[in-house]
Amino acid sequence: MLILEFRAGSFETNAYVVAAGPGRGCVIIDPGQRSAAALHGLVTRHRLEPEAILLTHGHMDHTWDVLPLSERYGVPVYVHPDDRFMVAAPARGLPESFPRELLAGHPNAEPSDVRPCGAPGSPVVEAAGLTIQAHHVAGHTPGSVTYYVESGEPALFTGDALFAGSLGRSDGPGGDARRLRDGLSRICRPLDDATRLLPGHGGPSTLGGERRLHAFLR
């Protein structure tokens, strides 16, 4: 499995491209601020063809360039129904204290093809020859999801629910620390320690490494 990543924009959000290998179809995860040009360069360099865009949650630093990318490649966008409202109206998912000038330049519009994931009845995304399990893990936002890909070396894309060495924040609108811990415990329990953990910010980890730090993951 081929996983490409870089940190996008002033929020340094990790954007990912995932494919079965070079010259294949791919999915894009969390195309943040000023990520469109860099993502296009990555897929061109590795001869990839985007087939879907996956959002771990609706916060604007993870959704900023989803509109131009979805239009450029003509691909669907997957997001949990509980976070869909933020894609076109990012201010609604932020605390009142958040500086609104930091939203300048956001498209404030929804892509034409938005599909549900992580909700009952839509647990799996099939794209680019990959079977991707979308697990709802409310607590950071109401509709946060993780994406688990088992092709080759298993990987869990956690968005802002779980970072290397720390739990995601739960003090924003719709946050709930108990639901966040319970959801991560449920999702991670059956997974192997060797599973790569690829978060929305910061460096990677492994599930085994996080289990040594967080009792709720054991």
Side-chain angles (χ1 to χ4, degrees):
M1 182 165 60
L2 177 67
I3 299 177
L4 309 170
E5 65 177 282
F6 69 95
R7 296 186 181 180
S10 56
F11 304 99
E12 296 193 330
T13 303
N14 291 334
Y16 296 97
V17 176
V18 186
R24 306 283 295 274
C26 70
V27 299
I28 295 169
I29 299 177
D30 286 355
Q33 184 189 46
R34 298 193 299 274
S35 66
L39 284 166
H40 181 66
L42 283 177
V43 301
T44 300
R45 190 176 313 130
H46 293 270
R47 297 174 289 108
L48 302 172
E49 185 65 34
E51 295 186 11
I53 298 174
L54 313 181
L55 302 178
T56 60
H57 61 292
H59 280 161
M60 54 87 186
D61 56 324
H62 293 252
T63 69
W64 199 290
D65 275 0
V66 68
L67 179 62
L69 283 165
S70 64
E71 290 183 345
R72 179 170 198 162
Y73 298 115
V75 298
V77 175
Y78 290 86
V79 64
H80 191 279
D82 289 348
D83 271 18
R84 180 172 176 172
F85 72 96
M86 284 186 260
V87 175
R92 292 179 59 196
L94 298 169
E96 289 296 325
S97 59
F98 187 86
R100 290 310 191 256
E101 62 269 20
L102 295 182
L103 295 174
H106 190 284
N108 292 315
E110 186 177 271
S112 59
D113 187 357
V114 179
R115 304 180 186 183
C117 72
S122 55
V124 173
V125 176
E126 299 275 3
L130 301 169
T131 298
I132 304 165
Q133 298 178 29
H135 297 287
H136 186 206
V137 55
H140 175 63
T141 63
S144 289
V145 299
T146 65
Y147 294 107
Y148 177 70
V149 187
E150 198 171 9
S151 176
E153 184 181 4
L156 183 68
F157 298 86
T158 57
D160 288 359
L162 183 64
F163 303 113
S166 65
L167 185 64
R169 293 182 62 167
S170 56
D171 57 348
D176 186 315
R178 182 189 60 79
R179 292 187 71 191
L180 183 57
R181 288 192 298 270
D182 289 350
L184 287 169
S185 176
R186 168 180 49 81
I187 291 163
C188 294
R189 191 178 301 122
L191 303 183
D192 189 87
D193 278 354
T195 302
R196 294 175 65 189
L197 190 153
L198 298 167
H201 299 273
S205 184
T206 65
L207 191 50
E210 297 310 304
R211 281 180 172 137
R212 288 190 288 273
L213 297 173
H214 303 294
F216 67 89
L217 293 176
R218 296 196 283 268

